[in-house]
Amino acid sequence: MPVDLADLKSGRLAPAEYERNFADAHPPLNRTQALIEAERCYYCYAAPCQTACPTGIDIPAFIQRVAQDNVRGAAEAILTANPLGGMCARVCPTEVLCEQACVRNTNESKPVEIGLLQRFAVEGHFANPGAKPLFERAQPTGRRVAVVGAGPAGLAAAHGLAWRGHDVVLFDAAPKLGGLNEYGLATYKVAGGFAQQEIDWLLSIGGITPKLNCRLGRDITLDSLLAEYDAVFLGLGLGGVNALGIAEPQVPGLRDAVDFIAELRQSAPAEVPVGRKVVVIGGGMTAVDAAVQSKLLGAEQVTMVYRRGPDGLSASTHEQHWAQTNGVTIRCWARPLGVEAHGGVLQGMRFAATTLEDGKLVDTGEQFFIEADLVLRAIGQTYEAPAGTAIALQSGRIKTDADGQTSLARVWAGGDCRAGGRDLTVEAVEHGKRAAVSIHAALTEVAHG
């Protein structure tokens, strides 16, 4: 039966339901819980959990400080290695990184809750505004660095450079700093305005001047930045969204999942329209966030559709279970054939069933239709090259060395726009951190040369 355009609407739930659905999905540990959990740690020498952390946080050291009720010391150990350690504690896939490496898995099949302990320490420090700052900025060097993109990579680079005494101008196309942390994560993962609280802490080191609503390629160019600054760091993210590869009519209800997630992050949930029946195309973290939040907004039926099998889903097993727990159906082995709309009203999607033959994805000949009044595209993003053609690319993203230096002198890059990464927040932070060290070394060498 055709759906009605009125089925795409906001305000489906009572105010109390929105408040409950978009509260913190995983409440933090209280002090007693944190002390008990910290005592479970073996404080391993050459700890495998630390090796598994992309930013190399000394996990046994910070957990031991938690056990000693030394929250400031724990936060210092975390934030020295990862200046966005609070956000990473909330969104990092710890179950496949540090916690998977925890030796407690061998004896108990239950790792130490490293992510929750990290969150306890960082947020405990932030909750004490009168505390002495953890970092003191070095004497000004007189060097100026432009950081383009205020997501995790750019923020980490800006902090590392300012800490070492350089003056940083932080450019971003959006009206708020934060990038993915502010616009791209599920609301229930970053409840309570934490993204901006962390940014306020990060900027408190001094020496960082934000310039918002300023887009590379429109308001500034790489050449103009190189003429004005001693070095440039590009943390541009991925601005393009992959198309479905089929005809996509301009109808209400067919939109990109990243835009849907961003709208929800910047609005009250009751104001965000959602369909009665929702289809999300894709199998990654963005697809899960869009699908779960559709259900939490009041959608009756939400289906994630992915063209390959369950083993190909890029969303972690933990995220897949989270989606299913929240009432999302995950349907694999199907690719989109067409968007069906009548009279400018979205009706749903037609799909072809798929299978693998000799390692190649092929259609089985079976087709099916899923009714929907909201279809969200979540099949990946691409680098749009706003920095121009002077920088070498690799597999469609910016090619760099291990420290983030590009093929163009005085230009570094990191985060999702950099080739070879895993598109993880914590990895983007490490890119920015390492680039800051490399840029500082280059500027110091120039100054002393």
Side-chain angles (χ1 to χ4, degrees), residues 230-407:
D230 297 297
V232 176
F233 176 82
L234 302 174
L236 301 170
L238 301 174
V241 178
N242 292 334
L244 296 176
I246 57 175
E248 298 183 29
Q250 298 297 310
V251 293
L254 177 61
R255 62 184 305 195
D256 294 329
V258 291
D259 293 338
F260 173 75
I261 292 168
E263 180 184 358
L264 186 50
R265 281 298 303 274
Q266 302 304 310
S267 310
E271 299 172 356
V272 178
V274 71
R276 181 170 58 86
K277 295 185 177 182
V278 180
V279 169
V280 180
I281 302 173
M285 298 279 283
T286 299
V288 169
D289 282 355
V292 170
Q293 292 192 116
S294 296
K295 203 76 172 72
L296 296 178
L297 285 170
E300 297 170 12
Q301 177 181 307
V302 179
T303 307
M304 268 178 60
V305 183
Y306 180 63
R307 63 195 177 105
R308 294 184 181 272
D311 292 343
L313 290 163
S314 58
S316 67
T317 302
H318 175 81
E319 288 286 326
Q320 293 174 46
H321 290 166
W322 173 250
Q324 292 166 331
T325 299
N326 280 277
V328 174
T329 299
I330 300 178
R331 185 158 185 174
C332 296
W333 300 114
R335 71 172 183 87
L337 278 180
V339 179
E340 296 204 4
H342 301 293
V345 178
L346 180 64
Q347 303 295 317
M349 291 283 299
R350 186 161 298 282
F351 294 89
T354 59
T355 189
L356 282 180
E357 286 186 5
D358 299 324
K360 293 183 179 180
L361 193 69
V362 297
D363 293 350
T364 66
E366 177 191 354
Q367 296 184 11
F368 60 92
F369 178 78
I370 302 180
E371 186 181 271
D373 40 24
L374 178 62
V375 173
L376 300 172
R377 294 168 292 225
I379 55 173
Q381 295 174 263
T382 55
Y383 172 62
E384 291 186 318
T389 59
I391 297 177
L393 302 183
Q394 177 183 333
S395 301
R397 303 192 193 188
I398 297 174
K399 182 180 180 180
T400 75
D401 67 11
D403 293 321
Q405 190 154 14
T406 73
S407 62

Side-chain angles (χ1 to χ4, degrees), residues 55-58 76-83 135 429-430 433:
T55 56
I57 294 173
D58 190 341
E76 183 176 17
I78 295 162
L79 295 170
T80 298
N82 181 342
F135 303 103
V429 172
E430 180 65 9
K433 188 180 81 174

Side-chain angles (χ1 to χ4, degrees), residues 141 143-145 161 166 229-231 410 412 437-449:
T141 64
R143 297 289 179 173
R144 302 177 72 231
V145 182
L161 289 161
H166 306 296
Y229 295 89
D230 297 297
R410 298 192 292 127
W412 283 255
V437 174
S438 178
I439 293 168
H440 174 69
L443 295 182
T444 303
E445 182 179 336
V446 169
H448 295 159

Side-chain angles (χ1 to χ4, degrees), residues 1-174:
M1 184 177 73
V3 296
D4 185 81
L5 186 59
D7 283 333
L8 185 62
K9 64 181 183 181
S10 58
R12 289 184 174 275
L13 306 176
E17 291 180 283
Y18 285 115
E19 185 175 352
R20 181 177 64 251
N21 289 352
F22 289 94
D24 204 327
H26 304 288
L29 300 175
N30 61 35
R31 176 176 173 273
T32 300
Q33 291 169 327
L35 292 174
I36 292 171
E37 188 62 25
E39 291 290 353
R40 294 185 60 240
C41 182
Y42 288 139
Y43 313 124
C44 303
Y45 177 75
C49 58
Q50 181 176 353
T51 302
C53 175
T55 56
I57 294 173
D58 190 341
I59 293 170
F62 98 70
I63 293 180
Q64 188 168 43
R65 292 175 189 181
V66 171
Q68 296 165 346
D69 212 10
N70 178 6
V71 171
R72 175 188 167 83
E76 183 176 17
I78 295 162
L79 295 170
T80 298
N82 181 342
L84 277 80
M87 183 63 72
C88 289
R90 288 175 175 241
V91 305
C92 193
T94 54
E95 68 278 358
V96 296
L97 294 172
C98 55
E99 291 177 11
Q100 187 178 66
C102 178
V103 297
R104 277 281 185 184
N105 286 313
T106 303
N107 296 329
E108 298 180 6
S109 298
K110 182 183 183 300
V112 174
E113 298 277 9
I114 297 170
L116 284 173
L117 287 171
Q118 181 171 316
R119 179 177 172 183
F120 171 81
V122 174
E123 294 184 17
H125 177 69
F126 286 175
N128 186 6
K132 180 183 176 183
L134 292 177
F135 303 103
E136 183 176 345
R137 190 174 179 228
Q139 288 297 310
T141 64
R143 297 289 179 173
R144 302 177 72 231
V145 182
V147 174
V148 186
L155 289 169
H159 184 269
L161 289 161
W163 186 17
R164 291 168 173 85
H166 306 296
D167 291 322
V168 178
V169 177
L170 182 56
F171 297 90
D172 199 89

